[in-house]
Amino acid sequence: ILSNRPIQLVEVKARGRYGAVWKALHKKDTVAVKIFPPQDKNSWLVEQDIYQLPHMQHDNILSFIGAEKHASVIEGAKNEYWLITAYHEYGSLCDYLKSNILTWDQLCHIAQSMTSGLMHLHEEIPSERSDQYKPAIAHRDFKSNNVLLKYDLTACIADFGLALVFQPGKSCGDTHGQVGTRRYMAPEVLEGAINFSRDAFLRIDMYACGLVLWELATRCTAQQGAIPDYKLPFEEEVGQHPSLEDMQECVVHKKLRPAFKDSWKSHPGLIALCDTMEECWDHDAEARLSASCVMERITWQCRQYDGTALPSLAQ
Ligand code: ADE
């Protein structure tokens, strides 16, 4: 896909778990380049393998363009590993929420497209042809930082460096379950008490999805009164840099979850969304909603409570 024309790095756009994401130019196209340091070569391999699985080209999954191995520009230094994807100027949902608020319609569009992406990732698509079979995939680091927004606020899921692929008949080959971002870890992950089945990993993603839905609600204009500044989930409970013990205390022992605001109670759509969040982050993993179920609910709720369905308040 990539020609011999080199890619020009323009500026650092984001820093993540692995190296940095650059805004870059490839001929006339703006692309994103994620640069992995040499010790993270394995994440680069995992991530490109996942993007190249069948059916991974999807409106709500970040578009993969290519991968390159580069000799470092610094003499004597090691290789670096590039992953080239579509570039989205708005960046991550987390960054967007820090500086923008959402109308109810915008919240609905983001929530719907984000859960469609997660549903597609989790879905197994059977096929007679082995080169068309899509295995179920667990993300394992789902959070607002790893959801990108396109120019029209359509969400797409990114960062598959920790993802697990469930090929039938093969063990998923994972040796440790406690990976991902502490703040978004489900209670069973914090406790180190997960069983290593496919469904257990998909349910862990759904817990995190509930937290991201809460982040959307906190910045939505459908609530009454002033919109509070953006806060991470559990920021009020554990602050900016929680330890594993802080998260265990909060999520496992006290069984706390992000608080619903009184100012949401005036909007039937937000009330319904709170029920969905609660069913995503249930302590009992088996009671959590699946991604397809959340997607359907949000689609239905957004239709029911869209601006046009409400009686006009203006007399
Ligand atoms: N931040 C992380 N990945 C990105 C991308 N592909 N486009 C824009 N910002 C990003």
Side-chain angles (χ1 to χ4, degrees), residues 13-15 20-23 31-34 62-63 85-92 95 145-146 148-149 156 158-159:
K13 174 76 177 171
R15 290 192 182 277
V21 176
W22 288 73
K23 178 178 183 173
V31 296
V33 179
K34 182 152 117 180
L62 179 61
S63 290
T85 63
Y87 178 79
H88 299 298
E89 183 59 36
Y90 283 146
S92 73
D95 285 338
N145 247 308
N146 289 336
L148 302 180
L149 293 179
C156 63
D159 199 341

Side-chain angles (χ1 to χ4, degrees), residues 34-232:
K34 182 152 117 180
I35 302 185
F36 297 73
Q39 65 272 22
D40 292 323
K41 183 182 179 187
N42 199 54
S43 291
W44 173 76
L45 288 169
V46 169
E47 194 161 10
Q48 60 174 296
D49 281 352
I50 290 189
Y51 277 119
Q52 293 178 85
L53 288 167
H55 300 284
M56 280 296 279
Q57 279 149 317
H58 185 276
D59 200 30
N60 309 117
I61 305 275
L62 179 61
S63 290
F64 173 74
I65 299 171
E68 297 180 344
K69 187 171 164 177
H70 279 252
S72 171
V73 286
I74 303 153
E75 213 182 322
K78 296 208 180 98
N79 292 331
E80 38 180 53
Y81 298 91
W82 290 20
L83 193 97
I84 301 127
T85 63
Y87 178 79
H88 299 298
E89 183 59 36
Y90 283 146
S92 73
L93 173 60
C94 179
D95 285 338
Y96 188 82
L97 292 178
K98 284 176 191 165
S99 40
N100 298 276
I101 55 174
L102 304 173
T103 65
W104 173 250
D105 286 350
Q106 289 172 330
L107 177 150
C108 287
H109 182 66
I110 295 171
Q112 231 175 78
S113 50
M114 174 181 89
T115 51
S116 296
L118 197 55
M119 170 182 142
H120 186 75
L121 194 67
H122 286 182
E123 190 181 17
E124 179 185 40
I125 303 175
S127 172
E128 301 289 295
R129 296 179 42 185
S130 66
D131 64 343
Q132 285 301 306
Y133 169 80
K134 181 197 171 291
I137 302 165
H139 189 286
R140 296 210 300 169
D141 196 19
F142 194 76
K143 54 177 174 174
S144 56
N145 247 308
N146 289 336
V147 174
L148 302 180
L149 293 179
K150 303 186 193 187
Y151 66 96
D152 65 351
L153 296 188
T154 299
C156 63
I157 300 178
D159 199 341
F160 299 97
L162 288 174
L164 269 188
V165 177
F166 302 97
Q167 297 286 2
K170 288 191 198 161
S171 90
C172 51
D174 189 66
T175 47
H176 56 198
Q178 212 172 46
V179 300
T181 305
R182 275 178 213 146
R183 182 179 299 282
Y184 289 85
M185 281 180 183
E188 64 274 22
V189 178
L190 289 165
E191 276 193 298
I194 56 162
N195 71 73
F196 294 92
S197 71
R198 179 188 94 158
D199 290 351
F201 285 109
L202 302 186
R203 288 166 183 149
I204 290 166
D205 283 348
M206 295 317 297
Y207 170 89
C209 180
L211 300 183
V212 178
L213 293 175
W214 177 88
E215 293 174 65
L216 289 172
T218 62
R219 297 288 285 159
C220 180
T221 58
Q223 63 194 287
Q224 248 170 4
I227 315 289
D229 284 347
Y230 172 77
K231 282 211 176 93
L232 289 159

